[in-house]
Amino acid sequence: MHKRIALVGLPLALALSACGGSDPYEDEASPGGDTGTVVIGSADFPESTLLAHIYGRAMEAQGVDVEYQLNIGSREVYYSQIESGNLSVFPEYNGATLAYLDEDAPTGTGEETNALVEEALPESLEILESSSAENKDSVTVTSEVAEEHGLTSLADLADVADELVLGGPPEFETRHQGVVGLEEVYGIEFQEFRSLEVALLTQALLDGDIQAANLFTTDPQIAVEDFVVLEDPENLFGAQNITPLIHADQVDATAREALDSVSAALTTEALTGLNERVVVENENAADVAQEWLEEEGLARP
């Protein structure tokens, strides 16, 4: 089956960049790509691209014609492309999707979150079965900063945050599940927010350029560098299960079954290990995806 891969925006090695810039789909002749083709997209950070390859190749294994639009940008850029039908499938995070659709929605369990997402989505969009694999936003510090300031929880930051610089992707500054929520829920006001690509956050922490970072909890660098993920007792970041978001009329029963089979097999532990191979060991994301699918019996026969 012929597949086409379009790399949009930044290379895989770069991560979440500013959400401005030109629309990569403004010149598309028709929504959804070629007739019968499922177009799967990814945000511009390594895990999202890896997930697009995993879900995409699982569909290909069932004979679905798949086109890839990778490294598009943040949710503020790509969501409209799913809604318009320029994208058919996007591996999403249920809690982050809910926060985007309704910034006042409460956080809850994965099931509660999915129910609220389904209510908030327009008629043209659906979410499929969620994976148990979960990747949350976090505020993470080095073990030295944690020890110096007695930090184990986000609540501990309230009294010392004015001495610390927080780094993260640009959209983290304006999201409720970000700087806005940290202030509203925990009363945390950092000395400064520094907008950085995700790929640069680990080194910025190690160099002391920032003292706290918005890292994803499946980031393998957390274990490698012995970073401390601060606990979130108020559940600001909520459930963040990997959940395919689809443009409903472009995804048939065969593709849906393939997508659900991936979600049923994928775990947080497995995802963290796959991320390590891509981010730390610099393996090719498509190859890592294919090998995992073969191990799970989900690859092309």
Side-chain angles (χ1 to χ4, degrees), residues 73-270:
S74 67
R75 190 168 293 104
E76 287 79 358
V77 174
Y78 63 69
Y79 178 83
S80 64
Q81 303 307 322
I82 309 169
E83 189 172 15
S84 68
N86 283 315
L87 294 171
S88 313
V89 177
F90 209 98
E92 263 288 20
Y93 303 85
N94 56 357
T97 302
L98 178 59
Y100 178 79
L101 295 168
D102 181 2
E103 63 181 16
D104 297 321
T107 56
T109 65
E111 293 77 10
E112 292 167 340
T113 299
N114 283 349
L116 291 172
V117 170
E118 289 167 353
E119 290 179 10
L121 284 173
E123 187 175 348
S124 60
L125 302 185
E126 295 179 22
I127 53 172
L128 299 184
E129 293 297 321
S130 288
S131 170
S132 68
E134 191 172 21
N135 184 1
K136 296 189 177 190
D137 284 287
S138 76
V139 175
T140 293
V141 299
T142 64
S143 55
E144 292 78 11
V145 167
E147 183 176 354
E148 178 183 355
H149 296 285
L151 302 177
T152 60
S153 161
L154 291 175
D156 299 328
L157 280 171
D159 293 332
V160 300
D162 59 354
E163 304 172 30
L164 308 177
V165 175
L166 171 66
E171 60 272 16
F172 191 71
E173 186 175 16
T174 57
R175 289 177 175 173
H176 179 73
Q177 290 180 317
V179 171
V180 174
L182 289 170
E183 182 174 349
E184 292 180 356
V185 175
Y186 288 102
I188 297 169
E189 295 188 43
F190 285 94
Q191 179 187 109
E192 178 188 348
F193 176 81
R194 192 164 297 171
S195 176
L196 294 169
E197 295 166 357
V198 173
L200 303 178
L201 288 170
T202 294
Q203 195 59 50
L205 271 179
L206 294 172
D207 291 343
D209 296 333
I210 58 176
Q211 290 75 51
N214 168 223
L215 296 183
F216 298 123
T217 53
T218 57
D219 188 332
Q221 297 288 0
I222 291 173
V224 170
E225 303 296 347
D226 195 29
F227 291 155
V228 176
V229 175
L230 299 181
E231 297 173 7
D232 179 16
E234 300 298 328
N235 199 28
L236 170 64
F237 298 126
Q240 297 291 354
N241 301 91
I242 310 301
T243 306
L245 174 64
I246 67 168
H247 193 92
D249 62 5
Q250 296 179 5
V251 183
D252 66 14
T254 300
R256 289 169 186 246
E257 183 177 352
L259 295 166
D260 284 343
S261 68
V262 169
S263 294
L266 191 62
T267 65
T268 301
E269 182 180 7

